[in-house]
Amino acid sequence: MAPSLSARVVPAEVRAFATRRLTGLGFRVTFGEHVDADGPLGTAPIGSRLADLHAAFADPEVDLILTAIGGHSANAVLGGLDWDLVAANPTWFCGFSDITALQNALLTRAGLVTLSGPHWSTFGCRRHLESTVESFLDAVTSDGPVRWRAQDWWSDDPTWYLNQEDRTRLPSEGWWMLSPGTAQGRIVGGNLCTLALLQGTGLLPDLAGAVLFVEDDAGSSAATVARHLHALLRQPGADQVGGLVLGRFQRETGMTRPLLAAIVAELPHLAGRPVVANVDFGHTFPLQTFPIGGAARVSADAADPDITWALPHAPVRTT
């Protein structure tokens, strides 16, 4: 399924390894008819992307829809989505980055809980993917709540798919406790700059009582992140946001803990509410999976930080 960039951009060896890995995990892998269709901007025509989405949701043999890769224009399909079809055929849907626009719109209009997690192409990463796969399997096969733990390493190799051997594991500082407190609520979020595309469209989920899980990539600077956070926290219901969880920023953003703490200190509506940052999701590895629309509990306490989430639906069963 390629609702953003065409799967054609994924190198052949990455494609093959991703499919072999998923098959080895017990999944039967099939592909949408138009995943390799292309166009001037590197995407299939909107009609082709919609046809594949609708076909996947309507197919009773499909238990989990994985997006091929992210990109820049998944929001282009929102005007043609059959929300009633999706609502009548709730199917697990997983991806991240540009896919954020689809995921939050599906939650708003179809009540669909989706998974912010790896793309199909992510599974083509040969090294250092164990924690990412473990978190993904926790999300799609676990019956009970999932408690996250801070990882002790991370990597930021944005061109891993071009050189699978040149990988660097960096020591992690752990989570950053930027504001203490405890919150419970529905998860809303994903990629911050993509989430901003939904403002004013009627497709942004209700923020009242939400726990925001957001991250941003190397295309954004610290100043851009601050601007988007201020805009998000001025949307309807933002004065009732329960807390904020921020994924790890890529090094190219220039984000540091003191800089992020200064940004958070000036955000409206967060006083007395938990803010935890440098968490293992976003555009670095490990990439932990979480449910957009699922239930979260966040406790920001330096002595015993805790992030736990739960799914509202039955898990996927692998063969």
Side-chain angles (χ1 to χ4, degrees):
M1 184 64 51
S4 188
L5 282 178
S6 169
R8 187 182 294 274
V9 305
V10 181
E13 62 273 17
V14 174
R15 297 166 67 107
F17 192 83
T19 300
R20 287 200 303 272
R21 175 178 264 142
L22 284 162
T23 301
L25 292 172
F27 296 94
R28 181 172 60 89
V29 182
T30 61
F31 296 90
E33 180 181 353
H34 305 97
V35 293
D36 287 321
D38 208 348
L41 297 178
T43 62
I46 293 173
S48 297
R49 288 184 271 168
L50 283 168
D52 280 1
L53 280 166
H54 291 154
F57 277 106
D59 188 343
E61 297 295 314
V62 174
D63 295 316
L64 169 69
I65 301 169
L66 276 177
T67 55
I69 194 170
H72 51 69
S73 66
N75 67 316
V77 307
L78 296 178
L81 267 175
D82 186 337
W83 308 108
D84 292 335
L85 171 69
V86 175
N89 298 276
T91 306
W92 285 121
F93 180 89
C94 185
F96 75 109
S97 193
D98 188 51
I99 308 303
T100 295
L102 260 173
Q103 292 170 310
N104 285 272
L106 287 168
L107 177 62
T108 300
R109 291 295 301 274
L112 186 71
V113 175
T114 61
L115 297 173
S116 180
H119 303 301
W120 160 71
S121 56
T122 308
F123 289 93
C125 182
R126 292 176 180 268
R127 296 180 179 272
H128 311 323
L129 204 70
E130 294 81 4
S131 296
T132 297
V133 172
E134 180 183 358
S135 178
F136 170 76
L137 291 177
D138 281 344
V140 301
T141 65
S142 295
D143 289 304
V146 174
R147 182 179 182 183
W148 276 355
R149 61 187 184 278
Q151 302 292 299
D152 59 8
W153 66 272
W154 67 292
S155 66
D156 184 16
D157 302 305
T159 57
W160 61 264
Y161 51 89
L162 299 178
N163 188 344
Q164 292 268 20
E165 304 305 316
D166 186 16
R167 303 295 306 281
T168 303
R169 282 171 60 130
L170 304 168
S172 175
E173 300 177 20
W175 297 344
W176 300 342
M177 305 297 129
L178 302 184
S179 179
T182 300
Q184 297 185 70
R186 184 176 71 162
I187 299 173
V188 172
N191 182 247
L192 180 61
C193 65
T194 304
L195 191 64
L197 300 176
L198 299 182
Q199 293 173 16
T201 66
L203 297 175
L204 184 71
D206 185 3
L207 299 184
V211 178
L212 299 175
F213 281 49
V214 296
E215 54 83 20
D216 224 329
D217 56 56
S220 294
S221 66
T224 305
V225 169
R227 179 168 66 173
H228 284 310
L229 283 173
H230 276 280
L232 180 61
L233 288 170
R234 287 188 171 87
Q235 299 305 304
D239 58 333
Q240 299 175 57
V241 162
L244 175 65
V245 179
L246 292 151
R248 180 178 283 111
F249 290 93
Q250 291 182 275
R251 290 175 292 182
E252 195 173 336
T253 64
M255 188 67 78
T256 64
R257 180 171 184 165
L259 185 54
L260 187 56
I263 292 170
V264 167
E266 293 191 330
L267 289 169
H269 314 315
L270 289 181
R273 291 163 185 172
V275 179
V276 185
N278 208 42
V279 180
D280 302 282
F281 68 91
H283 284 72
T284 62
F285 291 101
L287 167 62
Q288 297 199 105
T289 300
F290 63 89
I292 296 175
R297 182 185 185 278
V298 178
S299 177
D301 184 330
D304 187 25
D306 181 83
I307 299 175
T308 304
W309 57 257
L311 296 167
H313 303 310
V316 172
R317 300 299 181 191
T318 61
T319 56

